[in-house]
Structure formats: structure tokens, C-alpha cells
Amino acid sequence: MKTYFSTLFSLLLLFMLLACSSDDDNFNPIDTGSMPVDPTDPNPTSNLCENGIAAGIYPCSGFDLVSRISLSTMGGGRGNDSWGWTDPNNGKEYALVGLDNGTAFIDISAPDTPVYLGKLPTATVSSQWRDVKVYQNHAFIVSEAVNHGMQVFDLTRLRNVTNPPETFNADFHFTDFGSAHNIVINEDSGFAYAVGTSRAGVYQGGPVFINIQDPKNPIAAGGFLSTGDRAYSHDAQVINYQGPDTNYTGKEILIGSNEIEVVIADITDKNNPVTISTIKYSDVGYTHQGWFTEDMKYFILGDETDEQGIGFNTRTIIFDFTDLDTPKFHMNYTGPTPAIDHNGYVKGNLFYLANYRAGIRVIDISDIGNKNIREVGFFDTYPTSDSASFNGAWNVYPYFESGNIVISDIEKGFLLIRPSTP
């Protein structure tokens, strides 16, 4: 009997050791691309994407892992949104990563060895939803945490961190609204738009306008109540329009992802915003988030629950917005996995999609007019499954001049990737 239990204990111990060795959460929270590979190791791992795998666990194509910082290092329980800031004085790049209990700031100017500088704690309580955008060297942060409002943080303070990590305080706390799902900023006009605010408010969850031209002194500037079928905006993009519809050249145009439809509005006159048009599509689940192509001819939309509710592979819906008064359905793009699509952004001829359990997917849209779209690369941060569940990559930020791309992951926190060198 003693031998039996001794053998059983040994087997259990072996199983636990094997499980720990394959669990990514037990890896060093900061992995550097410059770490040497031991040539005598029969099973070496590399952050380079080699034979379809990076760092020994991440399926990949065309993108290498640069570095990563775990949630535990940042003192968070869940990751969510992310954005980026480049210091205009010296070109140093910083990642801004949303956590359930605050916003983390990471110096990625030496991308192989990023430095976690510290965190701005949540304004009230924790929430799995937090969103951050940047304007004039300031971060603007909202959350669905009760009574959170909008935090304003002067990012130039990051230049002077000498003993990281620090716990920061906000430079201003705007409380004209309580919770918000997301924040949108039009850097050309100097206005922020809190979306997904209370449905019981004056604008029923539609965008709340905030003048942030003086970043530390934001001013309430009204809001927008859509005349479409749904006022609540889950997310939006706002631009000074320079697209093909000359009737709206120079106007400030809002494209709202409003749960069951897309709303196009002229919000140039903050005292009199006007709905231009709305458009729906088939098999609607939850109209979540979208982004213009750079020529403003097409709008690329993600529906967050259609894959899970209906059962097809990742679907991206593309509209022809050549005429803003009469938008048209253009095409569907179907991805290679069943994973749910979340946030997507356009940079040049590429669409960078946070695809939850399928990680980041990079899609060539150079021939979108001819309905010819194809995936050209990916980095899968959730290697065990590509199913339609809410895990993995929440957001991506592809706009750094260096070409490095931030991924904020619900379970893994911060990852930095870059295109593989041919």
C-alpha cells in the first residue's frame, strides 16, 4: 500500500510539473527578443516566428514576438483596451494598457526590454471595461466602473519616472457623466466623445461631446441623440471628412456602431448634430466597432456576437460609403477561424483585427474595391483554441512609426510584436 501511494504521489507530481511547464502564465513576465538561444538545447524556443511558432507556444505567420509583460507584473486581474503615445520630444514610444483596476504605462522605446512604469488606478471601482485614447500628449480614460467619469493624465510625466513602477494620480477628473463604455477622439477637432454612457441619460447612451482642446480643462459640449432605431453607441469613429462625397467635405462626421445598425451623422455644429443616414445588414448580432479605409470610401465593421450566435467563421462586414446619404453593403470577409472579432483598425492597405481567441489577424485590403481581401499574417495569443469565446486579444495598436504593434490580451496582459524580417 505504501508503494502504491508513493507511486501515485510521484505520478501526480510529474503531472503538475508538466502542466506548469506548458502554462504560459508561468513564463517570465518579461521575455526579450534578444535572449540568446542555447545551441546545445535540443528543443530551443525563440521569439522569432519559425515554422509557424514563436516563443514555443504562439502560432504565427509573418510576425515575431518582441516582448511581453504579464498581468501579475502590472497588478491587474484582466486586460482590456490599449493605445499608444509617441513622445514628440525624443520619439520614444509608450504603450497604454487598460486593466480591470487601472491603466498601465509601459516604456517600449527599447522594445526587447520594455519597462513597466506604473499604473493610474481606476477612478472608482474595478471593471473589466476600460478604454483609453490620446490627444495632445494626454491620455483620456473612461470605464464602465460606476461613476468613473473621464480621467485625464499628462503623459509627459512619464519622462521623469526614475523608480518604476509608480502609482500615478490623474491630472483632472471629469465627472459630467458617470460610466462610459468607450471614448473616441477626433484629433483634428480637439473633441472627445464618450460613448456607451447611461441609457437613462439625456442622449440615451449616444455620444457625449467634450471639448478637450485645453486637455486639462475639458468642457462639456452637448451630445448626440440619433434619429435611427437605436441611440446607444457602443463605439464610434469621428473624423474631419475628406472622402469622395463632396457634400460633406470638411464636415466633422461620426460613424456610430449602434448595436443593431451603423449611424452616420454630421456633428460639425455641436448644438445641432444631424443624422445623415443609417444602414443595417443581415444576421445582425451586435454591431460593435468599425473603421474607415484611409480614402474614406469603405467602412469595415465588426459584429461581436454573430459568430457565437449564428455559427459561421469570423465575419467582417464592409460597406460602401462613397455616398454618405445612401450607404450600401459591399461585401463580407470571412476569416479562417470561428473566433469572435473585436476591435479593428486600418493603417495604409492593412486592416489589423483583434480577433479574441485567434489573436491578431492582419488583412490586406489594397483591392477592397474589387472585393478581393486576404489574410497576410497573424499572431495567435490564445494558442489552445480558436473557438467563439471571449478570451484572448482584446485590442491592437498598429500606429507606431517603429512598426511595433501592441496587443492587449484579456489573460496575458501586454504583448509586443513586429513584422518578421524576410
Side-chain angles (χ1 to χ4, degrees):
M1 184 63 69
K2 182 177 179 181
T3 303
Y4 171 79
F5 281 110
S6 177
T7 302
L8 180 60
F9 177 80
S10 297
L11 288 172
L12 286 172
L13 181 60
L14 178 61
F15 175 81
M16 291 170 66
L17 288 171
L18 288 171
C20 287
S21 68
S22 62
D23 183 355
D24 183 53
D25 288 338
N26 291 292
F27 279 32
N28 187 329
I30 302 179
D31 296 290
T32 65
S34 59
M35 290 176 63
V37 176
D38 182 354
T40 65
D41 186 348
N43 297 297
T45 60
S46 168
N47 283 352
L48 300 179
C49 182
E50 297 176 330
N51 301 315
I53 294 290
I57 57 168
Y58 296 115
C60 56
S61 175
F63 289 88
D64 299 330
L65 177 66
V66 180
S67 53
R68 50 188 168 174
I69 299 179
S70 70
L71 289 172
S72 60
T73 296
M74 297 183 287
R78 288 172 62 97
N80 43 64
D81 200 65
S82 54
W83 209 247
W85 174 61
T86 301
D87 189 331
N89 283 6
N90 53 29
K92 291 179 68 172
E93 295 176 344
Y94 297 82
L96 287 53
V97 178
L99 307 171
D100 55 340
N101 58 4
T103 306
F105 303 104
I106 303 170
D107 181 347
I108 58 171
S109 55
D112 294 329
T113 54
V115 179
Y116 169 53
L117 298 175
K119 178 166 58 180
L120 172 64
T122 180
T124 54
V125 297
S126 294
S127 169
Q128 64 179 317
W129 293 283
R130 191 171 309 279
D131 194 79
V132 55
K133 297 294 188 300
V134 171
Y135 173 73
Q136 291 295 331
N137 304 319
H138 289 72
F140 297 82
I141 303 159
V142 301
S143 173
E144 288 202 16
V146 62
N147 295 324
H148 186 279
M150 181 180 73
Q151 295 171 304
V152 182
F153 178 77
D154 186 343
L155 292 164
T156 64
R157 292 166 59 188
L158 301 179
R159 298 169 180 162
N160 303 316
V161 176
T162 58
N163 187 29
E166 292 186 6
T167 299
F168 299 103
N169 60 300
D171 291 281
F172 189 88
H173 187 202
F174 183 83
T175 57
D176 281 31
F177 61 87
S179 64
H181 179 75
N182 212 323
I183 185 167
V184 181
I185 291 179
N186 180 3
E187 295 184 37
D188 291 326
S189 68
F191 276 82
Y193 303 89
V195 296
T197 55
S198 173
R199 296 174 192 268
V202 175
Y203 306 107
Q204 300 177 24
V208 173
F209 304 162
I210 311 162
N211 184 330
I212 58 169
Q213 292 165 4
D214 181 357
K216 291 186 180 70
N217 295 287
I219 301 169
F224 174 55
L225 182 61
S226 171
T227 56
D229 290 338
R230 190 65 57 89
Y232 182 95
S233 285
H234 186 79
D235 206 332
Q237 184 182 16
V238 182
I239 47 91
N240 284 5
Y241 185 76
Q242 298 295 329
D245 190 340
T246 56
N247 291 328
Y248 296 98
T249 300
K251 299 289 187 179
E252 190 167 17
I253 301 298
L254 179 146
I255 313 296
S257 296
N258 285 28
E259 297 190 303
I260 59 171
E261 63 186 353
V262 177
V263 173
I264 305 174
D266 181 349
I267 59 170
T268 309
D269 182 352
K270 300 299 181 290
N271 295 315
N272 186 34
V274 178
T275 301
I276 297 171
S277 60
T278 64
I279 186 168
K280 290 184 170 68
Y281 53 94
S282 62
D283 295 324
V284 63
Y286 193 88
T287 307
H288 178 262
Q289 183 264 1
W291 211 255
F292 259 125
T293 55
E294 290 192 349
D295 61 9
M296 299 185 187
K297 289 183 179 180
Y298 301 96
F299 189 74
I300 304 175
L301 176 77
D303 183 308
E304 193 176 17
T305 65
D306 52 352
E307 293 86 7
Q308 194 175 61
I310 300 171
F312 40 61
N313 276 8
T314 306
R315 177 182 64 155
T316 302
I317 305 117
I318 299 164
F319 299 102
D320 182 339
F321 275 13
T322 303
D323 184 343
L324 297 182
D325 293 287
T326 56
K328 300 175 182 177
F329 170 78
H330 183 61
M331 66 174 290
N332 285 328
Y333 165 74
T334 302
T337 78
I340 299 168
D341 49 333
H342 200 221
N343 294 338
Y345 304 98
V346 172
K347 181 181 181 183
N349 287 322
L350 296 176
F351 180 61
Y352 295 84
L353 176 64
N355 205 179
Y356 276 129
R357 285 192 170 196
I360 177 178
R361 318 302 291 202
V362 181
I363 300 160
D364 184 343
I365 57 171
S366 58
D367 199 23
I368 193 171
N370 293 317
K371 303 182 181 181
N372 180 27
I373 294 175
R374 63 189 181 93
E375 182 174 283
V376 292
F378 68 88
F379 192 94
D380 189 349
T381 60
Y382 197 90
T384 57
S385 171
D386 287 334
S387 64
S389 298
F390 296 99
N391 306 94
W394 179 292
N395 197 64
V396 299
Y397 181 79
Y399 295 115
F400 285 124
E401 287 295 323
S402 66
N404 292 322
I405 299 167
V406 171
I407 303 174
S408 49
D409 187 278
I410 296 171
E411 291 83 18
K412 292 185 174 62
F414 161 83
L415 299 95
L416 193 67
I417 66 170
R418 62 182 164 220
S420 301
T421 302

